Amino acid sequence: MKFAIQINEGPYQHQAADSAYLFTKAALEKGHEIFRVFFYHDGVGNSTRLTTPPQDDRHIVNRWAALAEQYNLDLVVCVAAAQRRGMVDDGEAERNRKDATNIHPKFRISGLGQLIEAAVQSDRLMVFGD
Amino acid sequence: MSVTKKFMYLNRRPPYGTIYAWESLEVVLIGAAFEQDVSLAFLDDGVYQIIKGQDTSGIDMKNFSPTYSALGDYEVTKLYVERESLEERGLTVDDLMPLTWEDEAEDWAEKDSIQLISRAELAKLMDEQDVLFSF
Amino acid sequence: MSILHTVNKSPFEKSSLQSCIAHASEGSALLLYEDGVYAATKGTSVSDLVAGVAGVKLYVLGPDLKARGMQEERLIDGVTVVDYTGFVDLAAEYDKVVAWV
């Protein structure tokens, strides 16, 4: 079965980002397909490569990146939500003349249409939020 | 994408206190281009999103309530408002913005987008959807 | 055309659970997770509401329950404990999922 995952909250503040990860991992291990993981609202914060949690805590960003590496996941960060919250990749930095980037290379920035497309193409849409 | 699905956007949050209402409206506007069978449900505090007379001049935020009036132009014409949610909040349909759309099939006759429905009717509509969005 | 409802809020802070139950049709299921798990315990002000839901199967996410020190003997009778794999199975089993975030 094909799942689309929508994440509405950032890392650490809300458990939503953890629940989404553990659900996604369990689905993949069960042999399901994850069509796309879409980060929206403060959820875009899950994609910053600059995250530095204490050593005894989970690294939420790297955890997604590792899962993406293992299963070739499509991790999409909403561009409009990202721009509002200062989440920038190379392309966005150039377009908006920013002097830095912070998005992890395993994530990509794209439009809201990617969420709609995921909902159309998948058998289930799972929303994790607060 | 040839599949047409029944999409329902659940609006359960008030505006301004958090960004959820505004950013979910952005999804609705983008989603309109995908030509799915779209409806919006306003329940719980979501009914506050479409209250008339919103004025954000004192809080330095964009008043996005006029955007709901534009939904008809995007062919988003089914806005279900839950009667019980209004009543619980001391509101009636007269407190809501008049939201309309023009029906091309009937010589652009203006029609109400808002349909007042009961909680039981909304529960039934939810059962009939393919995808339900929450923000 | 049945729904898997998910509630992740404490019923003592937000009304998501109450709203969810008011919209849950017979044949649907309700999974309580994150702070929603407190609603699955006995002897609370919402226990009767939860236990009295007719025709809706009740599930609770075990890892969230355990993390919060809530033992399974505290659960309302008839609530089934699932893990994340069980959560995935439920999402696949029901036709669609409504997140009462």
Side-chain angles (χ1 to χ4, degrees):
Chain A
M1 180 163 281
K2 248 188 261 182
F3 286 94
I5 311 287
Q6 177 192 327
I7 302 175
N8 292 344
E9 301 298 335
Y12 304 104
Q13 181 83 12
H14 295 280
Q15 200 186 342
D18 291 277
S19 298
Y21 170 81
L22 292 168
F23 180 93
T24 302
K25 188 165 168 280
L28 289 166
E29 284 167 359
K30 196 95 208 259
H32 294 295
E33 181 188 339
I34 302 293
F35 182 81
R36 180 170 293 145
V37 182
F38 191 84
F39 297 87
Y40 197 41
H41 300 303
D42 279 357
V44 297
N46 287 286
S47 67
T48 171
R49 62 183 172 82
L50 303 181
T51 301
T52 314
Q55 278 194 348
D56 61 350
D57 199 355
R58 70 230 189 269
H59 195 305
I60 292 182
V61 180
N62 289 355
R63 206 170 57 173
W64 276 118
L67 202 64
E69 174 75 35
Q70 189 183 348
Y71 292 97
N72 202 19
L73 287 184
D74 189 19
L75 306 179
V76 177
V77 179
C78 170
V79 61
Q83 285 175 338
R84 279 196 177 105
R85 294 162 177 86
M87 300 300 304
V88 181
D89 67 358
D90 290 342
E92 284 299 302
E94 201 174 312
R95 256 188 298 282
N96 296 306
R97 295 193 190 80
K98 301 293 179 190
D99 60 3
T101 64
N102 52 357
I103 292 200
H104 191 288
K106 282 287 168 197
F107 295 74
R108 65 184 180 94
I109 285 191
S110 193
L112 275 171
Q114 299 273 303
L115 171 61
I116 306 294
E117 190 208 7
V120 173
Q121 297 295 332
S122 302
D123 301 304
R124 300 286 182 277
L125 171 69
M126 302 299 300
V127 181
F128 295 91
D130 183 64
Chain B
M1 283 183 285
S2 53
V3 239
T4 300
K5 287 188 170 180
K6 285 172 81 80
F7 274 18
M8 178 177 268
Y9 295 90
L10 296 174
N11 295 285
R12 299 183 49 244
R13 317 225 203 208
Y16 311 118
T18 59
I19 199 171
Y20 299 109
W22 175 218
E23 285 191 331
S24 73
L25 192 52
E26 288 185 336
V27 178
V28 175
L29 296 175
I30 298 288
F34 284 74
E35 295 180 354
Q36 303 296 308
D37 180 0
V38 171
S39 63
L40 272 64
F42 295 88
L43 65 156
D44 297 339
D45 282 351
V47 297
Y48 288 126
Q49 291 180 22
I50 49 173
I51 289 280
K52 62 183 171 193
Q54 296 177 35
D55 177 0
T56 58
S57 56
I59 60 169
D60 198 20
M61 283 191 194
K62 175 173 166 170
N63 179 357
F64 61 89
S65 64
T67 310
Y68 294 98
S69 307
L71 286 174
D73 300 335
Y74 286 81
E75 291 174 34
V76 176
T77 59
K78 289 180 282 189
L79 310 186
Y80 300 108
V81 177
E82 188 181 88
R83 185 181 294 115
E84 287 89 339
S85 293
L86 283 179
E87 285 168 358
E88 284 161 7
R89 288 159 183 78
L91 302 170
T92 70
V93 75
D94 294 334
D95 295 306
L96 307 178
M97 295 184 283
L99 301 173
T100 57
W101 62 289
E102 292 173 346
D103 191 349
E104 190 179 354
E106 290 184 27
D107 197 21
W108 306 102
E110 195 172 80
K111 295 185 172 178
D112 282 331
S113 298
I114 292 180
Q115 298 178 49
L116 206 57
I117 60 169
S118 71
R119 189 160 279 163
E121 285 167 327
L122 178 56
K124 194 167 169 290
L125 277 174
M126 288 170 69
D127 287 340
E128 293 166 5
Q129 303 303 312
D130 295 311
V131 182
L132 296 109
F133 287 89
S134 311
F135 297 95
Chain C
M1 300 295 279
S2 54
I3 296 177
L4 171 67
H5 298 275
T6 66
V7 171
N8 65 334
K9 297 296 183 313
S10 163
F12 314 113
E13 189 202 357
K14 298 255 178 80
S15 58
S16 308
L17 174 81
Q18 289 81 347
S19 192
C20 168
I21 287 177
H23 293 90
S25 305
E26 211 175 301
S28 63
L30 165 58
L31 171 70
L32 299 162
Y33 75 113
E34 297 179 4
D35 290 347
V37 300
Y38 297 117
T41 58
K42 278 189 280 208
T44 76
S45 56
V46 298
S47 298
D48 287 348
L49 172 73
V50 174
V53 182
V56 177
K57 284 189 185 162
L58 301 172
Y59 298 91
V60 65
L61 194 67
D64 278 332
L65 205 60
K66 203 172 146 195
R68 288 161 176 79
M70 292 285 122
Q71 313 301 329
E72 287 189 21
E73 52 265 30
R74 280 183 185 268
L75 292 178
I76 293 168
D77 294 340
V79 175
T80 306
V81 181
V82 295
D83 58 9
Y84 285 99
T85 304
F87 187 175
V88 171
D89 291 343
L90 286 171
E93 180 186 341
Y94 287 83
D95 299 324
K96 56 233 163 192
V97 183
V98 176
W100 293 83
V101 291

